[in-house]
Amino acid sequence: MSARDHSGHVVDQFGAQAAAYVTSVVHAAGADLDRIGALVRGMPDARVLDLGCGGGHVAFAAAAAGAAVTAYDLSDEMLAAVTVEAGRRGLDRIDTRQGAAEALPFPDAAFDAVLTRYSAHHWRDVPAALAEARRVLKPGGLLVVCDIVAPEEPLLDTHLQAVELLRDPSHVRDYRVSEWRRMLETAGFIPGDTAAYRPRMEFASWIARMRTPEVNTAAIRALQAAAPVEVTAHFMIEADGSFLLDSVLIEARPL
């Protein structure tokens, strides 16, 4: 039995795969990333926090749009990979800090924007992290949350959480949009514009990024094979296991 805490699981899962997340096609591009870049371009001389930066794609987009960016992540290996890639791209306004989303080592009102993409489903305590994001955001600042979301229907939600956890033991939860709105409001934000996306997960690379053990991979395929037609149709599960996910980008402002 594992004696590691949740943070240890996250570091173990992502540290060794840092380079894979820098180059991941799923993470490196998308309409959501384009939207983040456009928002930052509308904020001249912005100071931006990329919260749970992973492979750094939000940081790269924000820096290319003219912001000074702090890329923040639990994994030192991820941060090292971000530094190397930022140098390769000639982006010299990105610095890095290590730590958990629930305890930010920054003063109050330090940032014009806090951005997070494909990270929050690994956070142990999203409400605490959102409270910290609210604290470090300037009055009138911008929070952008982009993440995989669970469908509102329990049948679909349960399938998604099961395959996510089998693939990656650091997974906590893909929250429903209704849950996100409640958590944002509780943390002192007004949710605004939203945009929905359906990224396709190519099964082989989706599994490889997390080094999912064969037994877990087989369990995922068994769940897919046994899934009712409603699940198969919603996620558009293909013969090789590839499927579609639901993601959402939510823009929010502090009260």
Side-chain angles (χ1 to χ4, degrees), residues 38-89:
L39 288 168
V40 174
R41 281 193 293 275
M43 305 172 66
D45 301 315
R47 180 70 183 168
V48 169
L49 176 64
D50 180 1
L51 182 56
C53 68
H57 301 294
V58 166
F60 304 147
V69 183
T70 297
Y72 184 80
D73 201 88
L74 195 59
S75 167
D76 283 322
E77 291 89 347
M78 279 289 190
L79 295 173
V82 169
T83 298
V84 170
E85 181 66 11
R88 190 188 71 80
R89 297 187 186 202

Short mmCIF file of all heavy atoms in Angstrom, two decimals, residues 38-89:
data_model
loop_
_atom_site.label_atom_id
_atom_site.label_comp_id
_atom_site.label_asym_id
_atom_site.label_seq_id
_atom_site.Cartn_x
_atom_site.Cartn_y
_atom_site.Cartn_z
N ALA A 38 -5.73 35.99 -26.20
CA ALA A 38 -6.48 37.20 -26.57
C ALA A 38 -6.84 38.03 -25.34
O ALA A 38 -6.76 39.27 -25.37
CB ALA A 38 -7.73 36.81 -27.35
N LEU A 39 -7.24 37.36 -24.26
CA LEU A 39 -7.58 38.09 -23.04
C LEU A 39 -6.36 38.83 -22.47
O LEU A 39 -6.46 39.98 -22.04
CB LEU A 39 -8.12 37.11 -21.99
CG LEU A 39 -9.54 36.57 -22.26
CD1 LEU A 39 -9.84 35.41 -21.32
CD2 LEU A 39 -10.57 37.68 -22.07
N VAL A 40 -5.21 38.17 -22.48
CA VAL A 40 -4.00 38.80 -21.95
C VAL A 40 -3.56 39.97 -22.83
O VAL A 40 -3.10 41.00 -22.32
CB VAL A 40 -2.88 37.76 -21.79
CG1 VAL A 40 -1.57 38.43 -21.38
CG2 VAL A 40 -3.27 36.70 -20.76
N ARG A 41 -3.71 39.85 -24.13
CA ARG A 41 -3.36 40.97 -25.01
C ARG A 41 -4.19 42.21 -24.72
O ARG A 41 -3.74 43.33 -24.98
CB ARG A 41 -3.52 40.55 -26.48
CG ARG A 41 -2.37 39.71 -27.00
CD ARG A 41 -2.41 39.57 -28.51
NE ARG A 41 -3.55 38.78 -28.96
CZ ARG A 41 -3.56 37.46 -29.02
NH1 ARG A 41 -2.47 36.76 -28.65
NH2 ARG A 41 -4.64 36.81 -29.43
N GLY A 42 -5.37 42.02 -24.16
CA GLY A 42 -6.21 43.15 -23.79
C GLY A 42 -5.86 43.73 -22.43
O GLY A 42 -6.57 44.63 -21.95
N MET A 43 -4.79 43.27 -21.82
CA MET A 43 -4.36 43.74 -20.50
C MET A 43 -2.89 44.16 -20.58
O MET A 43 -1.99 43.41 -20.20
CB MET A 43 -4.53 42.63 -19.46
CG MET A 43 -5.93 42.05 -19.37
SD MET A 43 -6.03 40.58 -18.29
CE MET A 43 -5.66 41.32 -16.71
N PRO A 44 -2.61 45.36 -21.11
CA PRO A 44 -1.22 45.78 -21.29
C PRO A 44 -0.42 45.76 -19.99
O PRO A 44 -0.92 46.13 -18.92
CB PRO A 44 -1.36 47.22 -21.82
CG PRO A 44 -2.74 47.27 -22.41
CD PRO A 44 -3.57 46.37 -21.57
N ASP A 45 0.81 45.26 -20.09
CA ASP A 45 1.75 45.22 -18.95
C ASP A 45 1.21 44.42 -17.77
O ASP A 45 1.52 44.71 -16.61
CB ASP A 45 2.11 46.64 -18.49
CG ASP A 45 2.75 47.47 -19.59
OD1 ASP A 45 3.63 46.94 -20.29
OD2 ASP A 45 2.34 48.63 -19.77
N ALA A 46 0.45 43.39 -18.07
CA ALA A 46 -0.16 42.60 -17.00
C ALA A 46 0.88 41.74 -16.30
O ALA A 46 1.85 41.27 -16.90
CB ALA A 46 -1.26 41.71 -17.57
N ARG A 47 0.64 41.53 -15.02
CA ARG A 47 1.39 40.57 -14.23
C ARG A 47 0.47 39.36 -14.05
O ARG A 47 -0.63 39.48 -13.50
CB ARG A 47 1.77 41.16 -12.88
CG ARG A 47 2.56 40.22 -11.98
CD ARG A 47 3.94 39.97 -12.50
NE ARG A 47 4.66 39.02 -11.67
CZ ARG A 47 5.80 38.45 -12.01
NH1 ARG A 47 6.35 38.73 -13.17
NH2 ARG A 47 6.40 37.59 -11.22
N VAL A 48 0.91 38.19 -14.52
CA VAL A 48 0.05 37.02 -14.63
C VAL A 48 0.62 35.85 -13.84
O VAL A 48 1.83 35.60 -13.87
CB VAL A 48 -0.12 36.62 -16.12
CG1 VAL A 48 -0.77 35.26 -16.25
CG2 VAL A 48 -0.93 37.68 -16.87
N LEU A 49 -0.27 35.13 -13.16
CA LEU A 49 0.09 33.87 -12.50
C LEU A 49 -0.52 32.72 -13.28
O LEU A 49 -1.74 32.66 -13.49
CB LEU A 49 -0.44 33.86 -11.07
CG LEU A 49 -0.24 32.56 -10.27
CD1 LEU A 49 1.24 32.27 -10.06
CD2 LEU A 49 -0.98 32.62 -8.93
N ASP A 50 0.34 31.79 -13.73
CA ASP A 50 -0.11 30.54 -14.34
C ASP A 50 -0.13 29.51 -13.22
O ASP A 50 0.91 28.99 -12.82
CB ASP A 50 0.83 30.14 -15.48
CG ASP A 50 0.42 28.84 -16.16
OD1 ASP A 50 -0.60 28.25 -15.77
OD2 ASP A 50 1.14 28.41 -17.08
N LEU A 51 -1.31 29.22 -12.71
CA LEU A 51 -1.49 28.43 -11.50
C LEU A 51 -1.62 26.95 -11.86
O LEU A 51 -2.59 26.54 -12.49
CB LEU A 51 -2.73 28.92 -10.75
CG LEU A 51 -3.08 28.27 -9.43
CD1 LEU A 51 -1.92 28.35 -8.44
CD2 LEU A 51 -4.32 28.94 -8.84
N GLY A 52 -0.63 26.16 -11.42
CA GLY A 52 -0.57 24.77 -11.84
C GLY A 52 -0.16 24.69 -13.29
O GLY A 52 -0.87 24.15 -14.14
N CYS A 53 1.02 25.23 -13.59
CA CYS A 53 1.41 25.50 -14.97
C CYS A 53 1.66 24.26 -15.81
O CYS A 53 1.61 24.32 -17.04
CB CYS A 53 2.63 26.42 -15.02
SG CYS A 53 4.16 25.65 -14.41
N GLY A 54 1.96 23.12 -15.17
CA GLY A 54 2.25 21.93 -15.97
C GLY A 54 3.34 22.19 -16.98
O GLY A 54 4.42 22.69 -16.64
N GLY A 55 3.07 21.85 -18.25
CA GLY A 55 4.06 22.05 -19.30
C GLY A 55 4.27 23.48 -19.73
O GLY A 55 5.07 23.74 -20.65
N GLY A 56 3.55 24.44 -19.13
CA GLY A 56 3.84 25.85 -19.34
C GLY A 56 3.13 26.51 -20.51
O GLY A 56 3.44 27.65 -20.85
N HIS A 57 2.13 25.86 -21.09
CA HIS A 57 1.55 26.40 -22.32
C HIS A 57 0.77 27.69 -22.08
O HIS A 57 0.78 28.58 -22.94
CB HIS A 57 0.69 25.34 -22.99
CG HIS A 57 1.48 24.11 -23.32
ND1 HIS A 57 2.49 24.12 -24.26
CD2 HIS A 57 1.45 22.84 -22.81
CE1 HIS A 57 3.02 22.92 -24.34
NE2 HIS A 57 2.43 22.12 -23.47
N VAL A 58 0.11 27.82 -20.94
CA VAL A 58 -0.54 29.08 -20.61
C VAL A 58 0.50 30.17 -20.38
O VAL A 58 0.36 31.30 -20.85
CB VAL A 58 -1.45 28.92 -19.38
CG1 VAL A 58 -1.87 30.27 -18.82
CG2 VAL A 58 -2.67 28.10 -19.73
N ALA A 59 1.57 29.83 -19.68
CA ALA A 59 2.65 30.81 -19.45
C ALA A 59 3.24 31.29 -20.77
O ALA A 59 3.48 32.49 -20.96
CB ALA A 59 3.73 30.20 -18.58
N PHE A 60 3.46 30.37 -21.70
CA PHE A 60 4.03 30.75 -23.00
C PHE A 60 3.07 31.67 -23.76
O PHE A 60 3.47 32.67 -24.35
CB PHE A 60 4.34 29.52 -23.84
CG PHE A 60 5.24 28.51 -23.19
CD1 PHE A 60 5.08 27.15 -23.43
CD2 PHE A 60 6.24 28.90 -22.31
CE1 PHE A 60 5.91 26.22 -22.83
CE2 PHE A 60 7.07 27.96 -21.69
CZ PHE A 60 6.90 26.62 -21.95
N ALA A 61 1.78 31.33 -23.74
CA ALA A 61 0.78 32.14 -24.45
C ALA A 61 0.68 33.53 -23.83
O ALA A 61 0.60 34.54 -24.55
CB ALA A 61 -0.58 31.45 -24.44
N ALA A 62 0.68 33.60 -22.50
CA ALA A 62 0.56 34.89 -21.84
C ALA A 62 1.81 35.75 -22.05
O ALA A 62 1.72 36.96 -22.28
CB ALA A 62 0.31 34.68 -20.34
N ALA A 63 2.98 35.13 -21.98
CA ALA A 63 4.22 35.88 -22.20
C ALA A 63 4.30 36.37 -23.64
O ALA A 63 4.72 37.51 -23.90
CB ALA A 63 5.42 35.02 -21.86
N ALA A 64 3.89 35.54 -24.59
CA ALA A 64 3.89 35.96 -25.99
C ALA A 64 2.91 37.10 -26.23
O ALA A 64 3.10 37.89 -27.17
CB ALA A 64 3.55 34.77 -26.89
N ALA A 65 1.88 37.20 -25.38
CA ALA A 65 0.90 38.28 -25.49
C ALA A 65 1.33 39.54 -24.75
O ALA A 65 0.58 40.51 -24.71
CB ALA A 65 -0.45 37.81 -24.96
N GLY A 66 2.52 39.52 -24.14
CA GLY A 66 3.08 40.73 -23.53
C GLY A 66 3.10 40.78 -22.02
O GLY A 66 3.53 41.79 -21.45
N ALA A 67 2.67 39.72 -21.35
CA ALA A 67 2.62 39.73 -19.89
C ALA A 67 3.93 39.29 -19.27
O ALA A 67 4.72 38.57 -19.89
CB ALA A 67 1.49 38.82 -19.40
N ALA A 68 4.14 39.72 -18.04
CA ALA A 68 5.17 39.15 -17.19
C ALA A 68 4.52 38.03 -16.40
O ALA A 68 3.50 38.25 -15.74
CB ALA A 68 5.74 40.20 -16.25
N VAL A 69 5.07 36.83 -16.48
CA VAL A 69 4.38 35.63 -16.00
C VAL A 69 5.17 34.91 -14.92
O VAL A 69 6.39 34.74 -15.04
CB VAL A 69 4.13 34.65 -17.18
CG1 VAL A 69 3.34 33.44 -16.69
CG2 VAL A 69 3.41 35.34 -18.33
N THR A 70 4.47 34.50 -13.88
CA THR A 70 5.01 33.55 -12.92
C THR A 70 4.35 32.20 -13.16
O THR A 70 3.13 32.07 -13.05
CB THR A 70 4.76 34.01 -11.47
OG1 THR A 70 5.43 35.24 -11.24
CG2 THR A 70 5.27 32.96 -10.49
N ALA A 71 5.16 31.23 -13.54
CA ALA A 71 4.68 29.86 -13.74
C ALA A 71 4.84 29.12 -12.41
O ALA A 71 5.96 29.01 -11.90
CB ALA A 71 5.47 29.18 -14.84
N TYR A 72 3.74 28.61 -11.88
CA TYR A 72 3.72 28.04 -10.53
C TYR A 72 3.21 26.61 -10.59
O TYR A 72 2.18 26.34 -11.20
CB TYR A 72 2.80 28.90 -9.66
CG TYR A 72 2.72 28.51 -8.21
CD1 TYR A 72 3.71 28.89 -7.30
CD2 TYR A 72 1.63 27.80 -7.72
CE1 TYR A 72 3.63 28.56 -5.96
CE2 TYR A 72 1.54 27.46 -6.37
CZ TYR A 72 2.54 27.84 -5.50
OH TYR A 72 2.45 27.50 -4.16
N ASP A 73 3.96 25.69 -9.98
CA ASP A 73 3.58 24.28 -10.06
C ASP A 73 4.16 23.54 -8.87
O ASP A 73 5.13 23.98 -8.25
CB ASP A 73 4.09 23.66 -11.36
CG ASP A 73 3.33 22.40 -11.75
OD1 ASP A 73 2.29 22.51 -12.42
OD2 ASP A 73 3.77 21.30 -11.37
N LEU A 74 3.56 22.38 -8.57
CA LEU A 74 4.04 21.55 -7.48
C LEU A 74 5.31 20.79 -7.85
O LEU A 74 6.11 20.43 -6.98
CB LEU A 74 2.94 20.56 -7.10
CG LEU A 74 3.05 19.82 -5.77
CD1 LEU A 74 3.10 20.79 -4.59
CD2 LEU A 74 1.85 18.88 -5.60
N SER A 75 5.53 20.57 -9.13
CA SER A 75 6.64 19.73 -9.60
C SER A 75 7.84 20.57 -10.04
O SER A 75 7.75 21.35 -10.98
CB SER A 75 6.18 18.86 -10.78
OG SER A 75 7.27 18.28 -11.44
N ASP A 76 8.98 20.38 -9.37
CA ASP A 76 10.21 21.05 -9.78
C ASP A 76 10.62 20.64 -11.18
O ASP A 76 11.16 21.45 -11.95
CB ASP A 76 11.34 20.73 -8.80
CG ASP A 76 11.23 21.52 -7.50
OD1 ASP A 76 10.84 22.69 -7.56
OD2 ASP A 76 11.52 20.95 -6.44
N GLU A 77 10.38 19.37 -11.53
CA GLU A 77 10.75 18.90 -12.87
C GLU A 77 9.94 19.61 -13.95
O GLU A 77 10.47 19.95 -15.02
CB GLU A 77 10.56 17.38 -12.97
CG GLU A 77 11.53 16.57 -12.14
CD GLU A 77 11.06 16.31 -10.73
OE1 GLU A 77 10.07 16.95 -10.30
OE2 GLU A 77 11.67 15.47 -10.04
N MET A 78 8.66 19.83 -13.70
CA MET A 78 7.83 20.59 -14.63
C MET A 78 8.38 22.00 -14.79
O MET A 78 8.50 22.53 -15.90
CB MET A 78 6.39 20.64 -14.16
CG MET A 78 5.57 19.41 -14.47
SD MET A 78 5.20 19.26 -16.24
CE MET A 78 4.03 17.91 -16.19
N LEU A 79 8.69 22.64 -13.69
CA LEU A 79 9.19 24.01 -13.75
C LEU A 79 10.51 24.09 -14.51
O LEU A 79 10.75 25.04 -15.27
CB LEU A 79 9.34 24.56 -12.34
CG LEU A 79 8.03 24.71 -11.56
CD1 LEU A 79 8.31 25.10 -10.12
CD2 LEU A 79 7.11 25.72 -12.22
N ALA A 80 11.38 23.11 -14.32
CA ALA A 80 12.65 23.09 -15.06
C ALA A 80 12.39 22.96 -16.56
O ALA A 80 13.04 23.63 -17.38
CB ALA A 80 13.52 21.94 -14.57
N ALA A 81 11.43 22.11 -16.93
CA ALA A 81 11.10 21.95 -18.34
C ALA A 81 10.52 23.23 -18.92
O ALA A 81 10.79 23.59 -20.07
CB ALA A 81 10.11 20.79 -18.52
N VAL A 82 9.70 23.95 -18.13
CA VAL A 82 9.14 25.23 -18.58
C VAL A 82 10.25 26.24 -18.82
O VAL A 82 10.25 26.97 -19.82
CB VAL A 82 8.13 25.76 -17.55
CG1 VAL A 82 7.74 27.20 -17.86
CG2 VAL A 82 6.89 24.87 -17.53
N THR A 83 11.22 26.30 -17.91
CA THR A 83 12.34 27.23 -18.07
C THR A 83 13.12 26.95 -19.34
O THR A 83 13.47 27.88 -20.09
CB THR A 83 13.26 27.14 -16.84
OG1 THR A 83 12.53 27.52 -15.67
CG2 THR A 83 14.47 28.06 -17.00
N VAL A 84 13.39 25.70 -19.61
CA VAL A 84 14.13 25.33 -20.83
C VAL A 84 13.34 25.73 -22.07
O VAL A 84 13.88 26.32 -23.02
CB VAL A 84 14.44 23.82 -20.84
CG1 VAL A 84 14.98 23.39 -22.19
CG2 VAL A 84 15.44 23.49 -19.73
N GLU A 85 12.05 25.42 -22.09
CA GLU A 85 11.23 25.71 -23.27
C GLU A 85 11.04 27.21 -23.46
O GLU A 85 11.04 27.71 -24.60
CB GLU A 85 9.88 25.01 -23.17
CG GLU A 85 8.96 25.21 -24.35
CD GLU A 85 9.47 24.60 -25.65
OE1 GLU A 85 10.44 23.83 -25.61
OE2 GLU A 85 8.86 24.90 -26.71
N ALA A 86 10.90 27.95 -22.36
CA ALA A 86 10.78 29.40 -22.47
C ALA A 86 12.04 30.00 -23.09
O ALA A 86 11.98 30.89 -23.95
CB ALA A 86 10.52 30.02 -21.09
N GLY A 87 13.20 29.49 -22.68
CA GLY A 87 14.45 29.94 -23.28
C GLY A 87 14.54 29.61 -24.75
O GLY A 87 14.98 30.43 -25.57
N ARG A 88 14.08 28.41 -25.11
CA ARG A 88 14.10 28.01 -26.51
C ARG A 88 13.23 28.92 -27.36
O ARG A 88 13.55 29.22 -28.52
CB ARG A 88 13.64 26.56 -26.64
CG ARG A 88 13.84 25.95 -28.02
CD ARG A 88 13.18 24.59 -28.15
NE ARG A 88 11.73 24.69 -28.19
CZ ARG A 88 11.03 25.02 -29.29
NH1 ARG A 88 11.65 25.31 -30.41
NH2 ARG A 88 9.71 25.08 -29.23
N ARG A 89 12.12 29.38 -26.78
CA ARG A 89 11.19 30.25 -27.51
C ARG A 89 11.57 31.72 -27.43
O ARG A 89 10.90 32.57 -28.03
CB ARG A 89 9.77 30.06 -26.96
CG ARG A 89 9.19 28.67 -27.13
CD ARG A 89 7.74 28.63 -26.72
NE ARG A 89 7.19 27.28 -26.73
CZ ARG A 89 5.91 27.00 -26.84
NH1 ARG A 89 5.01 27.98 -26.94
NH2 ARG A 89 5.48 25.74 -26.84
#
